[in-house]
Amino acid sequence: MKKVLLLILLFINLLFFAQTDSSFVKRTPADTSKLKMNMDAVYNRPFLTMGKFPVAVGGYVEANSSYFGTDGVTEGLSFQIPRLTIFLSSTIKKRIKFLSEIEFEEGGKEINIEFASMDIELHPLLNLRGGVIMNPIGAFNQNHDGPKWEFISRPFSATTIIPSTWSNVGFGLFGKYAKSNLIWAYEAYLTNGFDDKIISNTQGRTWLPESKKNPERFEESFNGVPLVTTKTAIRHRKVGEIGVSWMGGVYNKFEEDGLVLDKQRRIDLYAIDLNTALPKINTYINGEWVWAFVDVPGTYSQAFGNKLQGGFLDIVQPVLKRKILGWENSTLNFAFRTEYVDYNVGSFNETQTNIADHIVTIVPGISFRPSQQTVIRFNYRYHWQTDLLGNPASRTAGFQFGFSTYF
Amino acid sequence: MLPKRRILYFISIVLLSLAACKKLLPKAPQEDELLDGPIEGLTPEQKIQFLAGDVAFNEDIFTAQNGLGPYFVANSCGSCHAGDGKGHLFTTLVRFGQSDTNGNTYLTKGGPQLQNRAIPGYAPEQIPEGASFSKFTPPANTGLGFLEALTDAQILANADPLDANGDGISGVPNYVHPPNYFQPKAHHLISNGRYVGRFGKKAAAIDLWHQTVNAYVQDMGVTSEYASSEPAINGIVGPYGDNTPDPEIPSSTVQNVIFYLRTLKTPVQRDQNNSNVIAGKNIFKNIGCEKCHIADWKTNKADIDALSYKEFHPYTDLLLHDMGAALNDNYTEGIAKTAEWKTPALWGLGLSKNSQGGKYFLMHDGRATSINDAIMLHGGEGENSKNKYQDLSQNEKDDLIKFLESL
C-alpha cells in the first residue's frame, strides 16, 4: 500500500512539474462544446499530454473539512480527502481509444478501478465498448467528477440507491446521432451485477452499495445472469439534455451446482435525468430521479424495502463572472440543492400505515471557481432522517468547506 | 472600495459565520423527551461499558453472514425498541404453547416463540396445530435496572393471592424455572426450584440476563455461550442452521447489552406542576389504579452504586393480575394463568408515540390505539377501576389521560 501511495505522489509531482514546463507538456482542455452529453463525461476532462507520449494523463483531487452535529451532539471538526482520481487515456489507433480511471478513496482506504475500457468506433452511431464500464443509469454515475459540482457531498439518491460510482465488467454499444440542434444518443451494456448482500447487510435496509464491496464481480458474475443497462438521451443545443435509463437483472444466487435454491429475484432501476441552463441569467439546473424495484422475499423482514425512490435537484446561479483576486474569468456562484430518498416505499402489513425510512436534505452553498477546472466550495447541509416507523426525524446539519480540482 | 477592505469584509463575514456555526446546528431534544441515556452517577469505566452496550443494542444489525436466524423475528435489538421506547406491531412477536400451567409442551415443536421470518431460502416457522398463542408487542427498556434492583421480598410484599384485604385485587408473582446460567443474588428467593419473574408480559424472565439471552436467540436467532443452539423450528430440534459458527456473539456483547439495559435512565415526567396533571394524578389514585400501578419504589444496596438507594416511579407492582375475558389469550407462561398479565410499568407512556411511529399501540399485543381504549380493555381485577373511570366526567377523564401522558 505504501509503495502504491508513493508512486501516486511521484506521479502527481510529475504532473505539477510538467505543468510548469510548457515545452514538455501540453494541456488538452475539456471539450466544452455543446455537442457533449452526460455519456461523454469520461472523456470530457482536461488531460495533459507529455511530449510525444501516446498517453494523456489527468486526474482530480478533493479535500474538505466538515463540522456536523446530530440532534445536539457534534463530532467536532474533521478533515477529509474523500477521493483522489487518476485518468489515463490513449488513442491506440484512429477511432480506437482506451481510458482508465483509478480512484483512491478516503486517503487510500479503498482503491477502485472505476473505468477501464476500450472504445472502438465503427460509426458514430455504432461504437463498441468493453472492459470496466460505468453503468449508464441516471447521469451522476457517469458524470461524477468532483470539480464539476458545486456541492461537497454527493447526493444520497445517486450514491445509496444508484450506488455511484457503480462500474462493472462488461461489453456493449453506444452511439450518437446529431441533426440540426438536436443530438440523440444511446448506450446498452451487459455487465456483471448485484449480489444478495443488497438485502443482507448491516444497514438493515435494502442497500445497493453493499454489492460494491464484492470485488469478485470484476472476475465473475454472482449468478450468471447479466445486468442489462440501457440509456437514451436527447440534447438540444440551446435547451438542455434529458435522459431516461434502465438497469435490471437478477441479484440472488438462485442455483448452485445445478440445484435450484430459490426463484430468480430481480432488481430493476429506472432513472430520469435532466440538465439545462436558463438563457440570459445562466441559471444552471440539474436533476435526477431514480426508482428501484427489488424482489425481496415476502417471508423476510419488511425493513428491507422492495421499492425505493429518490432524487436531487441542483440550482446554480453565477453571480459574478469576471476577474476576481487576479484570476481572469473566475466565477462566484450561489448554489442550492434539495434531495429526497425513500428507502422503503410501502406500508406495514400489520398496520397498513406508511413505512417511512426517508431522508429530506437541503444544501445551500457558495462556490468560487478561479478557473473552470477548480472549485472552492462552502456548503451548509441540513437533513431530516426519519426511521422505518416514522418516528420524529433525527436532524443533522453542518458546514463543509473544501476544494476540488483537476490537475 | 479598496481590495483590502473587501478582503477584510470577507474575513469578517467568515469569522461571524464560524461564530454562528453552533447556532445553525440542530439542538438536542429536551431531556424529558428522550428515553435513552444513562443513569446519573456512572463511573468512567461504567460509561465505557454503557457505550459498548449502546452500540451493540442500537447499531449491531445481524445478517445471514453474522448470525441472523436463519429463523427470526427482528434483525437487531433496536428495530424492536426504537429509541428504547415501546415497539411497533411490525415487530410484535408470537408466543405459543398451552393453556395450563404444567409447562410448555410445544418446546420440541418450536415453542415458546414463533420465528415468523426467515433469511432467503428458508421457510419461516408456523404455529403447530393445537397450540394456543398470544402476541407480545415490544416494551420500553427504560429504567429496567431499577426494577431489577428491587428485592423479591419487596415485590412479594404487595402480593395478595387470596385477596385477603377484599379489594378485588389479588396480585401474584410468576414463579419460573431459571436457565442454567442463572446466578441468583442475595435478594432472590427460591420456591420449589423456581424464582420470581419480573420481566416480560407475563413476568417469565427472572432478570435482564435471562431476558437478553432469550431475546438474542428467540427474536434474532443469534446464539451465545448461554443459549448455544438455534431454537427448534417447525417441529425440528436442531433445525437447518446457518453457516455462522456458534456462539454467534461473544459473551462480552451479551454482558455489555445487559449492562446497558441495567443503566438506562428512568423517564422524566413532564408537566408535573400542571393543574390538570395534578388533578389527573389524584383521580388515578382515587379510582384505584395505583393499587396495581404502584408509583413509589426505592432500591436497596445494588451492585451498581448508581442504582443503590434510589427512589423511582415506574407505576407497576411487577405482579400478575387476572385482567378478564377480553385479555384472555388462552396462552400461559410459567405459572401465569391465561388471563393473567404482569402490570406494565406506565413510566414513559406519554412518549410511546415517539417510538411507535406516531400512534399508540398499547396493552400486551398493541390492540389499544389510545389510552382510553387501553383503560376500557381492563377487566377482571381491573374491572372496578375501569367502571369508576367510566363514571368520571369528560373533564376528569381528560385530566387522568393528561397525567398518564405526562409520565
Side-chain angles (χ1 to χ4, degrees):
Chain A
M1 184 57 148
K2 279 183 183 170
K3 284 180 185 171
V4 173
L5 286 174
L6 193 62
L7 281 171
I8 298 302
L9 287 172
L10 283 171
F11 176 73
I12 292 168
N13 280 338
L14 179 64
L15 286 180
F16 282 120
F17 164 74
Q19 288 178 70
T20 61
D21 183 359
S22 59
S23 63
F24 177 64
V25 66
K26 198 158 65 179
R27 180 171 287 282
T28 310
D31 183 348
T32 53
S33 81
K34 290 181 180 176
L35 270 170
K36 295 296 176 188
M37 301 174 75
N38 270 312
M39 65 180 284
D40 302 308
V42 286
Y43 285 104
N44 190 19
R45 296 158 157 165
F47 286 95
L48 287 167
T49 51
M50 286 172 277
K52 293 187 176 178
F53 283 11
V55 174
V57 297
Y60 71 87
V61 64
E62 289 185 276
N64 54 265
S65 59
S66 58
Y67 185 85
F68 273 96
T70 299
D71 293 333
V73 179
T74 174
E75 298 290 329
L77 187 66
S78 63
F79 301 89
Q80 301 92 30
I81 177 156
R83 51 192 66 85
L84 182 151
T85 299
I86 290 161
F87 325 125
L88 287 173
S89 88
S90 166
T91 298
I92 299 164
K93 200 168 175 64
K94 194 179 177 188
R95 296 188 290 139
I96 301 178
K97 290 190 290 187
F98 175 82
L99 186 143
S100 68
E101 176 180 341
I102 299 169
E103 184 164 285
F104 297 80
E105 290 190 349
E106 296 174 30
K109 205 163 81 180
E110 279 187 43
I111 302 173
N112 301 310
I113 299 173
E114 298 207 323
F115 190 85
S117 78
M118 187 170 73
D119 292 353
I120 304 171
E121 183 186 324
L122 305 175
H123 181 276
L125 251 179
L126 186 64
N127 298 263
L128 302 179
R129 173 172 286 174
V132 178
I133 63 157
M134 287 186 280
N135 300 65
I137 180 76
F140 187 91
N141 194 47
Q142 288 179 304
N143 192 10
H144 58 255
D145 289 0
K148 291 183 178 175
W149 297 82
E150 317 306 311
F151 303 93
I152 290 171
S153 294
R154 293 177 165 187
F156 282 125
S157 62
T159 50
T160 61
I161 298 181
I162 297 171
S164 299
T165 303
W166 176 238
S167 44
N168 287 286
V169 183
F171 291 89
L173 305 170
F174 67 93
K176 275 202 273 188
Y177 176 74
K179 189 168 186 183
S180 185
N181 282 326
L182 285 173
I183 315 158
W184 170 79
Y186 76 94
E187 292 178 87
Y189 303 103
L190 298 178
T191 64
N192 291 339
F194 292 96
D195 59 44
D196 55 10
K197 302 292 188 302
I198 64 172
I199 62 159
S200 180
N201 56 67
T202 53
Q203 293 287 329
R205 59 162 70 99
T206 302
W207 193 250
L208 278 55
E210 201 69 16
S211 284
K212 287 168 68 176
K213 293 180 184 170
N214 176 18
E216 302 290 318
R217 76 182 198 279
F218 291 107
E219 291 182 25
E220 61 175 333
S221 168
F222 183 67
N223 51 30
V225 180
L227 182 71
V228 182
T229 314
T230 64
K231 179 171 182 178
T232 184
I234 191 161
R235 181 175 191 87
H236 188 282
R237 289 170 200 266
K238 293 176 182 168
V239 179
E241 178 177 339
I242 184 165
V244 291
S245 46
W246 162 68
M247 179 166 71
V250 172
Y251 72 86
N252 67 325
K253 186 153 271 181
F254 53 91
E255 194 178 72
E256 189 148 23
D257 288 341
L259 298 174
V260 176
L261 304 175
D262 195 1
K263 70 168 191 168
Q264 293 190 7
R265 297 191 180 277
R266 288 194 61 81
I267 174 169
D268 291 280
L269 288 89
Y270 301 88
I272 184 165
D273 59 85
L274 60 87
N275 65 72
T276 186
L278 300 182
K280 294 182 183 172
I281 56 172
N282 292 323
T283 307
Y284 179 66
I285 299 170
N286 187 22
E288 179 179 294
W289 190 268
V290 59
W291 297 264
F293 299 87
V294 183
D295 180 6
V296 179
T299 53
Y300 198 49
S301 173
Q302 290 172 79
F304 294 86
N306 51 25
K307 183 181 174 189
L308 300 79
Q309 64 179 2
F312 67 92
L313 182 70
D314 290 357
I315 300 170
V316 179
Q317 179 62 57
V319 288
L320 274 180
K321 198 166 188 176
R322 60 181 173 81
K323 185 175 181 179
I324 303 173
L325 297 170
W327 281 295
E328 299 287 347
N329 295 321
S330 52
T331 315
L332 183 72
N333 299 301
F334 284 162
F336 183 79
R337 168 178 285 171
T338 180
E339 295 183 56
Y340 177 75
V341 279
D342 186 342
Y343 295 111
N344 201 332
V345 180
S347 54
F348 288 109
N349 296 334
E350 294 81 2
T351 58
Q352 308 310 314
T353 52
N354 182 48
I355 300 176
D357 201 5
H358 56 242
I359 304 174
V360 177
T361 308
I362 55 167
V363 192
I366 301 170
S367 68
F368 173 62
R369 289 183 176 274
S371 79
Q372 281 309 300
Q373 293 172 27
T374 301
V375 59
I376 300 165
R377 306 174 286 205
F378 178 73
N379 294 170
Y380 172 68
R381 186 176 177 84
Y382 201 114
H383 73 245
W384 295 261
Q385 180 159 14
T386 306
D387 69 6
L388 195 71
L389 305 175
N391 291 317
S394 154
R395 297 162 303 151
T396 297
F399 299 88
Q400 296 170 293
F401 175 78
F403 71 84
S404 184
T405 184
Y406 286 111
F407 51 77
Chain B
M1 193 184 289
L2 293 169
K4 270 186 192 169
R5 193 174 290 176
R6 284 185 192 172
I7 290 168
L8 285 172
Y9 277 133
F10 177 74
I11 291 169
S12 305
I13 289 168
V14 169
L15 289 174
L16 277 172
S17 303
L18 289 173
C21 260
K22 286 198 171 175
K23 296 277 182 199
L24 291 169
L25 297 185
K27 289 188 181 125
Q30 296 290 321
E31 190 64 17
D32 59 11
E33 292 172 7
L34 293 173
L35 292 174
D36 57 357
I39 55 176
E40 285 183 10
L42 294 182
T43 64
E45 295 86 347
Q46 289 170 332
K47 285 176 184 169
I48 290 168
Q49 188 168 14
F50 177 88
L51 287 171
D54 190 357
V55 168
F57 192 90
N58 290 303
E59 294 179 24
D60 279 1
I61 293 176
F62 291 97
T63 69
Q65 289 71 44
N66 66 4
L68 178 67
Y71 310 95
F72 65 95
V73 177
N75 61 356
S76 68
C77 305
S79 63
C80 291
H81 309 274
D84 291 304
K86 283 182 190 292
H88 186 267
L89 298 192
F90 148 65
T91 49
T92 287
L93 57 87
V94 176
R95 295 263 176 85
F96 62 86
Q98 71 304 318
S99 54
D100 60 48
T101 56
N102 296 327
N104 196 320
T105 54
Y106 288 87
L107 293 179
T108 56
K109 294 178 181 173
Q113 190 161 308
L114 182 76
Q115 279 76 40
N116 63 332
R117 297 186 173 102
I119 62 174
Y122 291 74
E125 188 176 22
Q126 305 293 322
I127 298 174
E129 202 172 323
S132 56
F133 67 90
S134 188
K135 293 181 178 178
F136 293 1
T137 300
N141 302 325
T142 49
L144 295 181
F146 291 93
L147 297 175
E148 191 185 56
L150 294 173
T151 65
D152 282 359
Q154 283 177 286
I155 296 169
L156 294 173
N158 293 302
D160 184 13
L162 302 174
D163 191 16
N165 62 3
D167 63 355
I169 296 169
S170 54
V172 293
N174 192 1
Y175 282 103
V176 293
H177 287 295
N180 55 11
Y181 52 81
F182 175 63
Q183 295 175 3
K185 294 196 170 80
H187 67 71
H188 285 120
L189 303 174
I190 191 166
S191 172
N192 295 324
R194 299 182 189 224
Y195 288 86
V196 175
R198 62 181 80 186
F199 297 108
K201 305 289 182 182
K202 284 185 177 281
I206 301 167
D207 59 11
L208 291 171
W209 192 339
H210 190 183
Q211 182 76 5
T212 303
V213 170
N214 272 351
Y216 267 115
V217 73
Q218 294 284 340
D219 296 0
M220 296 181 278
V222 173
T223 58
S224 62
E225 177 192 327
Y226 314 112
S228 55
S229 304
E230 305 281 357
I233 298 292
N234 292 333
I236 301 168
V237 179
Y240 312 109
D242 50 33
N243 290 322
T244 312
D246 297 320
E248 290 161 336
I249 48 166
S251 305
S252 58
T253 300
V254 178
Q255 293 302 332
N256 289 341
V257 167
I258 294 166
F259 188 85
Y260 171 73
L261 294 172
R262 293 184 72 195
T263 51
L264 273 171
K265 70 174 192 179
T266 60
V268 180
Q269 191 183 359
R270 297 157 308 286
D271 303 323
Q272 286 186 68
N273 299 321
N274 179 290
S275 58
N276 298 102
V277 170
I278 292 167
K281 186 172 184 178
N282 290 329
I283 294 166
F284 185 80
K285 282 182 185 170
N286 293 342
I287 66 173
C289 305
E290 209 174 30
K291 288 183 178 174
C292 301
H293 292 284
I294 297 174
D296 303 325
W297 293 85
K298 186 176 181 182
T299 57
N300 293 317
K301 172 73 181 158
D303 56 353
I304 297 171
D305 283 347
L307 290 171
S308 298
Y309 308 113
K310 292 289 189 305
E311 289 182 6
F312 61 104
H313 312 286
Y315 293 88
T316 177
D317 60 2
L318 297 174
L319 295 171
L320 300 170
H321 296 274
D322 184 329
M323 295 303 292
L327 295 175
N328 185 342
D329 284 356
N330 206 30
Y331 165 76
T332 191
E333 290 178 347
I335 62 163
K337 296 187 175 67
T338 54
E340 287 181 333
W341 298 95
K342 186 196 75 183
T343 308
L346 296 180
W347 57 7
L349 178 61
L351 299 177
S352 298
K353 283 198 278 193
N354 290 352
S355 63
Q356 296 188 305
K359 292 178 88 171
Y360 281 122
F361 297 105
L362 305 175
M363 307 307 278
H364 66 275
D365 55 2
R367 71 177 74 175
T369 53
S370 69
I371 293 176
N372 179 68
D373 286 355
I375 296 170
M376 295 306 293
L377 280 165
H378 282 58
E381 296 174 42
E383 185 81 27
N384 283 341
S385 291
K386 180 187 74 179
N387 291 339
K388 287 177 183 170
Y389 170 76
Q390 281 183 293
D391 292 340
L392 295 173
S393 69
Q394 190 56 48
N395 283 345
E396 289 170 322
K397 285 181 183 175
D398 291 344
D399 286 346
L400 175 64
I401 288 171
K402 192 154 190 177
F403 161 68
L404 292 169
E405 287 190 319
S406 76
L407 295 177

